[in-house]
Every structure is written in structure tokens, then in C-alpha cells.
């Protein structure tokens, strides 16, 4: 089967590589001519055709055309509108980025009068997707999702990447192979949105726990090192451990209930940079965590862990600085408390 890919960043290009390796063909588009030329050269026997012109891209696609858009969410809508002017009835547009599911519902409705079908695919796998496969959460009309099945199967990790859940028998479901039709337009990105919200919480839990281990030798500080503005340790003898945090992540990877791919990545990062000196600690958020909290509020669902993890990201970027200054000002005003020097 043929796939058209708009956007050849790390994920878009690797999706193309996976499908071509599995016997499919691709037409690719990117504004960077060198990127297009490089990926086109990887395709054996002309399996990848490259373009830098959107009209040429559409003209090269076989009908019904399948155009997968894999670009930043901020420009996705503009590019989909441009594609819609070039495509015809029966063609399919896929948004595989991290668009908000609200936009999917609007876009699918807007494309209906033209007979163009819209499919949203929440895609997880990052830079490791080429080797591991991509987890795909799909929203859209059933006939079109079924039409895409062979492509989705090639992009997804496959049945052999995880043991079957006890009790599951018979032919594996698509979910067991790494892709799932979650529902109508927007459902794929809705599931991916919550996936990323959970990711925020899981990352925060690891980070907070490892920080406790990192500070486990605080009892070795002498009493003279504590300022009057700091609460002294009541039992410093309980905190005399020089924990090797990178080694802890290694041992947790083996047989522990908290083992995960996130922990694997954390262990690799700590091995490469044990003091994490190459990181400033400013943690970005690309939107999905916020949208997850919005959905929880609309549904009346309590998500204290996910909300706290999102707000911590704000704080990491200095967004709590003014509030902290207000607190410091109040303490100084009512008690004459002076600020301590900041810790490096």
C-alpha cells in the first residue's frame, strides 16, 4: 500500500522507513529539500518518492490518496486546509501529531461536504519508534480505518513486543499488536491526550522519588550549617546515606514493580550524566497535560496527581517566582525573616 507523509521530522521519517521496510511505498513532502533528498535515497527501487511542492505531492499519490500530516500542532490546521484544496472525494487525511481532539471534530465535520475523510492518530514512540514500533491510537470512520489496516500494522510494534495478558486467547486483537481504533473523529487524540497526562504524572513520581534518594545524606551536615531560617533535623542519624542514584535505577529495572520504559530511559540518562549537569531543570509542556486536566474538570473526575505534575512543570520554568517572592515578603514583614542564599 502507498502512504503519503507530510513532514519528515524524526517521527514522520521513521514511520516512512518502517512501512517501506515492510513492503509498502511512500510519497513524502517536506520544505527542506536536503531532508527529502536524503530520505528518498534510502528507498530501494524507488519505494520512496520525494517532493517539496504540495501539489506535486498530491499528484504523485495513488487514489484513494492517503496523506499523513506529521508536523507541529500549531501549523497542522493550515496544512490540512491546503491539502483539502488539492484532494478529492474518497481521499483520506491523517493527523498523526499531537493536535487537540477538539480540532479533530471540527476538521472532520468541515471535510465532510467535500467527501474527504479525516482520521486522527495519536502516535507514541518518539525517537525509538523506528526500532520499537509506534503505539497508535486511532479515531475516525470504521471503513477508512479498516482501509488503513495494513499500514497501521506495519507501523505498530507487533504482537511479539509484549507478553500476552493472562487470559487472552485466540487471534490477537489489534490492540495487542500496538494499534487500536478508539472511536469516531477525535477519539484517537483523546486517548493519546490522556496517555500524555499519565506520562506527566509518572515522570514526576520518578523524579520526586529519586530526589529523596539524592538528598538521603542530609544528616551528614553539621548543625552549624543549618540557618535559623531552616527547620533542623530532629534525627540526623537517620539520613546518613550516600545513595548511588544511577545504580538504584539500574536495580529497579530488574524485577521491580516500578520497572518501565521510562525508568529504562532514566537509567540511561543518569549513566551518561550522573550529576545531570547538562540539564537546567526547565521542563516544558506541549499542551496534552493541560488538555487532560481540562477534560477531567469537564467530566468531574479528580486527578490530583496529574494536576500537580503539570503545575510542577510550570514551577520548573520560574512561573512560581512571583508567588515565592510574595511569600518571602510576607515572612519578612510579619517576622523579620531574611531570605537564605539560593542553593545551586
Amino acid at each position: 500500500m502507498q502512504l503519503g507523509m507530510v513532514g519528515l521530522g524524526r517521527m514522520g521519517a521513521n514511520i516512512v522507513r518502517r512501512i517501506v521496510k515492510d513492503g509498502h511505498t511512500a510519497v513524502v513532502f517536506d520544505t527542506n529539500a536536503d531532508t527529502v533528498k536524503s530520505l528518498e535515497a534510502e528507498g530501494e527501487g524507488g519505494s520512496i518518492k520525494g517532493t517539496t511542492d504540495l501539489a506535486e505531492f498530491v499528484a504523485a499519490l495513488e487514489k484513494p490518496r492517503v496523506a499523513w500530516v506529521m508536523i507541529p500542532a500549531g501549523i497542522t490546521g493550515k496544512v490540512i486546509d491546503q491539502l483539502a484544496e488539492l484532494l478529492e472525494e474518497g481521499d483520506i487525511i491523517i493527523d498523526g501529531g499531537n493536535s487537540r481532539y477538539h480540532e479533530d471534530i471540527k476538521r472532520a465535520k468541515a471535510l465532510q461536504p467535500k467527501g474527504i475523510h479525516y482520521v486522527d492518530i495519536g502516535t507514541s514512540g518518539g525517537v525509538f519508534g523506528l526500532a520499537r514500533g509506534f503505539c497508535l491510537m486511532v479515531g475516525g470512520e470504521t471503513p477508512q480505518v479498516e482501509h488503513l489496516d495494513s499500514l497501521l500494522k506495519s507501523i505498530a510494534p507487533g504482537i511479539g513486543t509484549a507478553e500476552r495478558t493472562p487470559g487472552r486467547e485466540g487471534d490477537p486483537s489489534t490492540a495487542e499488536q500496538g494499534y487500536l481504533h478508539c472511536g469516531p473523529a477525535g477519539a484517537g487524540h483523546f486517548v493519546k491526550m490522556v496517555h500524555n497526562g499519565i506520562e506527566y504524572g509518572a515522570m514526576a513520581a520518578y523524579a520526586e522519588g529519586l530526589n529523596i534518594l539524592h538528598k538521603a545524606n542530609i544528616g551528614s551536615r553539621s548543625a552549624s550549617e543549618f540557618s535559623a531560617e531552616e527547620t533542623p533535623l530532629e534525627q540526623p542519624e537517620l539520613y546518613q546515606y550516600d545513595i548511588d542514584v544511577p545504580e538504584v535505577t539500574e536495580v529497579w529495572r530488574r524485577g521491580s514493580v516500578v520497572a518501565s520504559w521510562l525508568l529504562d530511559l532514566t537509567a540511561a540518562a543518569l549513566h551518561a550524566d550522573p550529576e545531570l549537569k547538562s540539564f537546567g531543570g526547565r521542563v516544558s509542556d506541549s499542551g496534552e497535560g493541560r488538555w487532560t486536566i481540562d477534560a477531567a474538570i469537564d467530566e468531574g473526575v479528580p486527578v490530583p496527581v496529574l494536576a500537580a505534575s503539570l503545575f510542577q512543570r510550570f514551577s520548573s520554568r520560574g512561573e512560581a517566582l512571583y508567588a515565592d517572592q510574595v511569600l518571602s515578603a510576607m515572612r519578612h514583614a510579619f517576622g523579620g525573616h531574611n531570605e537564605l542564599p539560593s542553593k545551586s
Side-chain angles (χ1 to χ4, degrees):
M1 189 172 174
Q2 186 195 65
L3 173 67
M5 178 61 71
V6 177
L8 301 180
R10 288 169 295 184
M11 293 181 72
N14 282 341
I15 286 171
V16 170
R17 292 183 177 105
R18 277 191 69 86
I19 65 154
V20 168
K21 183 179 178 181
D22 214 23
H24 301 284
T25 60
V27 179
V28 301
F29 167 87
D30 197 277
T31 55
N32 187 313
D34 291 338
T35 298
V36 170
K37 184 177 181 180
S38 176
L39 186 60
E40 187 177 34
E42 293 183 29
E44 297 181 4
S47 58
I48 302 176
K49 175 178 173 54
T51 67
T52 55
D53 178 83
L54 208 56
E56 181 184 345
F57 166 79
V58 170
L61 292 172
E62 302 166 356
K63 298 181 181 180
R65 303 175 183 89
V66 177
W68 182 311
V69 180
M70 200 68 171
I71 56 180
I75 59 173
T76 295
K78 176 183 176 181
V79 173
I80 286 177
D81 289 343
Q82 293 172 341
L83 279 172
E85 293 300 317
L86 299 168
L87 295 173
E88 300 175 347
E89 182 176 352
D91 292 342
I92 301 171
I93 294 177
I94 299 171
D95 177 7
N98 280 330
S99 295
R100 195 172 191 179
Y101 76 97
H102 296 188
E103 299 302 316
D104 297 318
I105 296 171
K106 293 176 184 176
R107 289 171 188 156
K109 186 175 181 180
L111 291 170
Q112 279 181 345
K114 299 180 180 181
I116 298 172
H117 303 283
Y118 181 86
V119 174
D120 54 283
I121 301 183
T123 309
S124 182
V127 296
F128 296 91
L130 177 60
R132 293 170 57 101
F134 295 89
C135 175
L136 305 174
M137 294 143 273
V138 186
E141 303 162 274
T142 298
Q144 281 63 50
V145 174
E146 290 178 347
H147 176 74
L148 298 170
D149 187 77
S150 63
L151 286 171
L152 301 177
K153 187 175 294 184
S154 294
I155 298 166
I159 186 67
T161 55
E163 294 183 8
R164 296 197 78 179
T165 299
R168 281 188 175 264
E169 298 177 351
D171 294 335
S173 67
T174 64
E176 292 181 271
Q177 299 172 62
Y179 64 104
L180 177 66
H181 183 197
C182 302
H189 278 148
F190 187 89
V191 174
K192 178 57 161 51
M193 172 189 77
V194 177
H195 164 284
N196 284 22
I198 292 171
E199 183 180 291
Y200 281 30
M203 292 171 70
Y206 280 126
E208 291 176 11
L210 294 178
N211 198 24
I212 294 171
L213 297 178
H214 178 65
K215 299 289 250 180
N217 67 346
I218 192 171
S220 63
R221 293 170 60 184
S222 66
S224 62
E225 292 182 73
F226 287 90
S227 163
E229 296 296 323
E230 292 180 278
T231 303
L233 282 173
E234 293 183 0
Q235 296 176 288
E237 67 275 11
L238 300 181
Y239 300 95
Q240 300 282 339
Y241 302 116
D242 290 315
I243 305 291
D244 190 330
V245 178
E247 287 299 284
V248 170
T249 61
E250 285 296 335
V251 75
W252 282 355
R253 291 180 60 215
R254 293 161 174 84
S256 165
V257 73
V258 299
S260 72
W261 186 31
L262 273 177
L263 185 61
D264 294 345
L265 298 175
T266 304
L270 287 169
H271 176 71
D273 184 1
E275 299 299 322
L276 300 178
K277 292 181 179 179
S278 56
F279 299 95
R282 293 175 59 87
V283 187
S284 299
D285 72 288
S286 54
E288 298 87 351
R290 303 184 189 207
W291 305 337
T292 302
I293 306 307
D294 288 344
I297 291 170
D298 288 343
E299 296 175 358
V301 174
V303 287
V305 171
L306 305 191
S309 68
L310 174 65
F311 294 146
Q312 177 55 38
R313 291 192 179 203
F314 296 167
S315 182
S316 78
R317 304 197 297 267
E319 300 299 341
L321 177 60
Y322 184 77
D324 292 339
Q325 288 172 316
V326 171
L327 289 171
S328 187
M330 287 190 288
R331 290 189 79 248
H332 185 268
F334 68 66
H337 301 286
N338 294 318
E339 286 187 330
L340 294 174
S342 61
K343 297 178 181 180
S344 58

